[in-house]
Amino acid sequence: MWQAISHQLSEVLDRPFKISEKEVLEGGDINECYCIGDENERYFVKLNDRERLVMFETEAESLRMLNETDCIQVPQFIHLGTTKDRAFIVLNYLPTKVIDNQSAYTLGEQLARMHAWGEQGEYGFDLDNYVGRTPQPNQWRRKWCRFFAEQRIAWQLQLCSEKGIDFGNIDTITGKVIDLLVHHQPKPSLLHGDLWHGNTALTVTGPIIFDPASYWGDRECDIAMTELFGGFPPSFYEGYQSVWPLDDGYEERKDLYNLYHVLNHCNLFGGSYITQAEQMMEKLGLK
């Protein structure tokens, strides 16, 4: 496998690349992660089963779009490929550490500029992708309330139902989500899509975000998720607000936006996330 990866990188880099160092890295519970290098360069490699290649293809497209904004640092895509039984993606390697207060403020500023970047008339993305290892549909919609209700909440509820997790009538809940958002039609912003603190870090060249699940949506979805699992210093929000203050009503919408990720955790892990989802739905008046 590593010989095949080395050969493919040699072709992409247009120079011989012989792996002289290989280090296992912590990479969550989805992919195997490594730092590999020769005498000149080091690269970050994520591995999974060959049939998971599409996950890496959609990640590469999200990284391409985020990089295009030139607002915030993301990993640089190097190569995507397969071996006999594995799929892999190669990115540039940067040593990282946890963001501090100063870099969190900068990250907030940069995220606000990224959210303000570009002009898009609808909500969605040019391809479906993944949030974690869960498929994420992104069909273009003109109404934000319908996009979020149908392709975020209803989608996750359907996946839960298929696993025997019943939260109630999906059509009824979807209608209630539409009602909650019907008067909210925000500017479509390019989102990271999975912005918890584990997908951010500090490098020698400043803060970086990675492992995106991008689409054009309400910027509040990114901000809400930063609050879901904690880990972002107050300076992050100060930096964001200094560039583009959040709209009135964010505090009422953030639990609805975070319900999507909690339902996704129900699908991935079950357990206490089911109880958390039920409590959130009751608070929102969805049950």
Side-chain angles (χ1 to χ4, degrees), residues 28-47:
D29 58 355
I30 299 175
N31 304 298
E32 298 173 33
C33 299
Y34 294 85
C35 172
I36 64 172
D38 63 359
E39 296 179 354
N40 298 305
E41 299 282 351
R42 303 169 84 190
Y43 296 99
F44 180 72
V45 180
K46 291 201 283 189
L47 293 165

mmCIF file of all heavy atoms in Angstrom, residues 28-47:
data_model
loop_
_atom_site.group_PDB
_atom_site.id
_atom_site.type_symbol
_atom_site.label_atom_id
_atom_site.label_comp_id
_atom_site.label_asym_id
_atom_site.label_seq_id
_atom_site.Cartn_x
_atom_site.Cartn_y
_atom_site.Cartn_z
ATOM 1 N N GLY A 28 -9.384 10.921 14.971
ATOM 2 C CA GLY A 28 -10.802 10.657 15.208
ATOM 3 C C GLY A 28 -11.139 9.191 14.980
ATOM 4 O O GLY A 28 -10.269 8.318 14.961
ATOM 5 N N ASP A 29 -12.424 8.925 14.782
ATOM 6 C CA ASP A 29 -12.875 7.536 14.693
ATOM 7 C C ASP A 29 -13.320 7.158 13.291
ATOM 8 O O ASP A 29 -13.951 6.123 13.088
ATOM 9 C CB ASP A 29 -14.036 7.299 15.669
ATOM 10 C CG ASP A 29 -15.218 8.229 15.393
ATOM 11 O OD1 ASP A 29 -15.102 9.099 14.521
ATOM 12 O OD2 ASP A 29 -16.251 8.072 16.070
ATOM 13 N N ILE A 30 -12.995 7.985 12.287
ATOM 14 C CA ILE A 30 -13.449 7.718 10.927
ATOM 15 C C ILE A 30 -12.315 7.210 10.039
ATOM 16 O O ILE A 30 -12.455 6.204 9.343
ATOM 17 C CB ILE A 30 -14.084 8.982 10.307
ATOM 18 C CG1 ILE A 30 -15.313 9.403 11.132
ATOM 19 C CG2 ILE A 30 -14.492 8.739 8.850
ATOM 20 C CD1 ILE A 30 -15.940 10.697 10.676
ATOM 21 N N ASN A 31 -11.188 7.897 10.062
ATOM 22 C CA ASN A 31 -10.076 7.555 9.173
ATOM 23 C C ASN A 31 -8.822 7.216 9.960
ATOM 24 O O ASN A 31 -8.661 7.597 11.114
ATOM 25 C CB ASN A 31 -9.761 8.737 8.245
ATOM 26 C CG ASN A 31 -10.954 9.201 7.450
ATOM 27 O OD1 ASN A 31 -11.497 8.453 6.652
ATOM 28 N ND2 ASN A 31 -11.371 10.444 7.661
ATOM 29 N N GLU A 32 -7.907 6.505 9.292
ATOM 30 C CA GLU A 32 -6.551 6.332 9.803
ATOM 31 C C GLU A 32 -5.729 7.505 9.285
ATOM 32 O O GLU A 32 -5.811 7.857 8.115
ATOM 33 C CB GLU A 32 -5.951 5.017 9.303
ATOM 34 C CG GLU A 32 -6.682 3.776 9.754
ATOM 35 C CD GLU A 32 -6.128 2.540 9.065
ATOM 36 O OE1 GLU A 32 -4.899 2.505 8.788
ATOM 37 O OE2 GLU A 32 -6.910 1.629 8.776
ATOM 38 N N CYS A 33 -4.936 8.106 10.165
ATOM 39 C CA CYS A 33 -4.200 9.308 9.784
ATOM 40 C C CYS A 33 -2.702 9.133 10.026
ATOM 41 O O CYS A 33 -2.297 8.578 11.050
ATOM 42 C CB CYS A 33 -4.701 10.513 10.568
ATOM 43 S SG CYS A 33 -6.447 10.875 10.283
ATOM 44 N N TYR A 34 -1.915 9.638 9.075
ATOM 45 C CA TYR A 34 -0.457 9.500 9.148
ATOM 46 C C TYR A 34 0.217 10.781 8.701
ATOM 47 O O TYR A 34 -0.314 11.530 7.875
ATOM 48 C CB TYR A 34 0.035 8.368 8.240
ATOM 49 C CG TYR A 34 -0.409 6.985 8.635
ATOM 50 C CD1 TYR A 34 -1.641 6.490 8.218
ATOM 51 C CD2 TYR A 34 0.403 6.165 9.413
ATOM 52 C CE1 TYR A 34 -2.060 5.214 8.566
ATOM 53 C CE2 TYR A 34 0.001 4.884 9.764
ATOM 54 C CZ TYR A 34 -1.236 4.419 9.344
ATOM 55 O OH TYR A 34 -1.639 3.146 9.689
ATOM 56 N N CYS A 35 1.401 10.999 9.224
ATOM 57 C CA CYS A 35 2.330 11.967 8.671
ATOM 58 C C CYS A 35 3.432 11.167 7.985
ATOM 59 O O CYS A 35 4.053 10.300 8.614
ATOM 60 C CB CYS A 35 2.922 12.857 9.759
ATOM 61 S SG CYS A 35 4.250 13.942 9.187
ATOM 62 N N ILE A 36 3.636 11.416 6.704
ATOM 63 C CA ILE A 36 4.702 10.728 5.978
ATOM 64 C C ILE A 36 5.650 11.764 5.397
ATOM 65 O O ILE A 36 5.277 12.919 5.174
ATOM 66 C CB ILE A 36 4.158 9.830 4.846
ATOM 67 C CG1 ILE A 36 3.448 10.662 3.767
ATOM 68 C CG2 ILE A 36 3.224 8.761 5.414
ATOM 69 C CD1 ILE A 36 3.068 9.856 2.529
ATOM 70 N N GLY A 37 6.880 11.364 5.164
ATOM 71 C CA GLY A 37 7.834 12.306 4.600
ATOM 72 C C GLY A 37 9.002 11.614 3.951
ATOM 73 O O GLY A 37 9.282 10.432 4.215
ATOM 74 N N ASP A 38 9.667 12.362 3.066
ATOM 75 C CA ASP A 38 10.956 11.917 2.553
ATOM 76 C C ASP A 38 11.982 12.897 3.111
ATOM 77 O O ASP A 38 11.759 13.518 4.151
ATOM 78 C CB ASP A 38 10.952 11.845 1.021
ATOM 79 C CG ASP A 38 10.738 13.201 0.358
ATOM 80 O OD1 ASP A 38 10.570 14.210 1.079
ATOM 81 O OD2 ASP A 38 10.735 13.254 -0.883
ATOM 82 N N GLU A 39 13.086 13.083 2.453
ATOM 83 C CA GLU A 39 14.117 13.979 2.981
ATOM 84 C C GLU A 39 13.782 15.452 2.730
ATOM 85 O O GLU A 39 14.471 16.331 3.248
ATOM 86 C CB GLU A 39 15.467 13.629 2.351
ATOM 87 C CG GLU A 39 15.960 12.232 2.721
ATOM 88 C CD GLU A 39 17.284 11.901 2.054
ATOM 89 O OE1 GLU A 39 17.739 12.724 1.231
ATOM 90 O OE2 GLU A 39 17.846 10.835 2.349
ATOM 91 N N ASN A 40 12.706 15.713 1.949
ATOM 92 C CA ASN A 40 12.400 17.087 1.573
ATOM 93 C C ASN A 40 11.093 17.622 2.139
ATOM 94 O O ASN A 40 11.023 18.763 2.594
ATOM 95 C CB ASN A 40 12.356 17.210 0.043
ATOM 96 C CG ASN A 40 13.677 16.873 -0.608
ATOM 97 O OD1 ASN A 40 14.700 17.446 -0.271
ATOM 98 N ND2 ASN A 40 13.664 15.928 -1.542
ATOM 99 N N GLU A 41 10.029 16.811 2.076
ATOM 100 C CA GLU A 41 8.699 17.282 2.433
ATOM 101 C C GLU A 41 7.970 16.279 3.317
ATOM 102 O O GLU A 41 8.249 15.075 3.272
ATOM 103 C CB GLU A 41 7.855 17.523 1.165
ATOM 104 C CG GLU A 41 8.406 18.569 0.214
ATOM 105 C CD GLU A 41 8.126 19.980 0.684
ATOM 106 O OE1 GLU A 41 7.366 20.153 1.659
ATOM 107 O OE2 GLU A 41 8.677 20.916 0.072
ATOM 108 N N ARG A 42 7.012 16.813 4.092
ATOM 109 C CA ARG A 42 6.141 15.957 4.892
ATOM 110 C C ARG A 42 4.702 16.207 4.466
ATOM 111 O O ARG A 42 4.336 17.338 4.124
ATOM 112 C CB ARG A 42 6.312 16.248 6.384
ATOM 113 C CG ARG A 42 7.737 16.090 6.876
ATOM 114 C CD ARG A 42 7.896 16.644 8.273
ATOM 115 N NE ARG A 42 7.498 15.683 9.283
ATOM 116 C CZ ARG A 42 7.354 15.974 10.580
ATOM 117 N NH1 ARG A 42 7.521 17.219 10.992
ATOM 118 N NH2 ARG A 42 7.009 15.051 11.439
ATOM 119 N N TYR A 43 3.890 15.132 4.506
ATOM 120 C CA TYR A 43 2.499 15.229 4.071
ATOM 121 C C TYR A 43 1.590 14.515 5.069
ATOM 122 O O TYR A 43 2.016 13.605 5.795
ATOM 123 C CB TYR A 43 2.322 14.622 2.677
ATOM 124 C CG TYR A 43 3.089 15.354 1.609
ATOM 125 C CD1 TYR A 43 4.316 14.881 1.162
ATOM 126 C CD2 TYR A 43 2.602 16.540 1.075
ATOM 127 C CE1 TYR A 43 5.034 15.574 0.200
ATOM 128 C CE2 TYR A 43 3.305 17.241 0.117
ATOM 129 C CZ TYR A 43 4.529 16.755 -0.321
ATOM 130 O OH TYR A 43 5.237 17.445 -1.265
ATOM 131 N N PHE A 44 0.336 14.967 5.072
ATOM 132 C CA PHE A 44 -0.696 14.371 5.919
ATOM 133 C C PHE A 44 -1.541 13.443 5.055
ATOM 134 O O PHE A 44 -2.040 13.853 4.001
ATOM 135 C CB PHE A 44 -1.564 15.483 6.516
ATOM 136 C CG PHE A 44 -2.669 14.998 7.413
ATOM 137 C CD1 PHE A 44 -2.391 14.485 8.664
ATOM 138 C CD2 PHE A 44 -3.991 15.078 7.009
ATOM 139 C CE1 PHE A 44 -3.413 14.052 9.502
ATOM 140 C CE2 PHE A 44 -5.020 14.648 7.833
ATOM 141 C CZ PHE A 44 -4.725 14.132 9.087
ATOM 142 N N VAL A 45 -1.702 12.190 5.483
ATOM 143 C CA VAL A 45 -2.432 11.195 4.707
ATOM 144 C C VAL A 45 -3.578 10.633 5.542
ATOM 145 O O VAL A 45 -3.382 10.246 6.701
ATOM 146 C CB VAL A 45 -1.511 10.033 4.268
ATOM 147 C CG1 VAL A 45 -2.292 8.998 3.455
ATOM 148 C CG2 VAL A 45 -0.339 10.557 3.458
ATOM 149 N N LYS A 46 -4.772 10.604 4.937
ATOM 150 C CA LYS A 46 -5.929 9.955 5.560
ATOM 151 C C LYS A 46 -6.294 8.733 4.733
ATOM 152 O O LYS A 46 -6.378 8.802 3.504
ATOM 153 C CB LYS A 46 -7.121 10.914 5.651
ATOM 154 C CG LYS A 46 -6.898 12.039 6.633
ATOM 155 C CD LYS A 46 -8.205 12.670 7.100
ATOM 156 C CE LYS A 46 -8.784 13.590 6.066
ATOM 157 N NZ LYS A 46 -9.933 14.362 6.619
ATOM 158 N N LEU A 47 -6.520 7.618 5.422
ATOM 159 C CA LEU A 47 -6.823 6.343 4.774
ATOM 160 C C LEU A 47 -8.181 5.821 5.207
ATOM 161 O O LEU A 47 -8.601 6.010 6.349
ATOM 162 C CB LEU A 47 -5.780 5.289 5.158
ATOM 163 C CG LEU A 47 -4.345 5.456 4.680
ATOM 164 C CD1 LEU A 47 -3.439 4.534 5.462
ATOM 165 C CD2 LEU A 47 -4.246 5.173 3.195
#
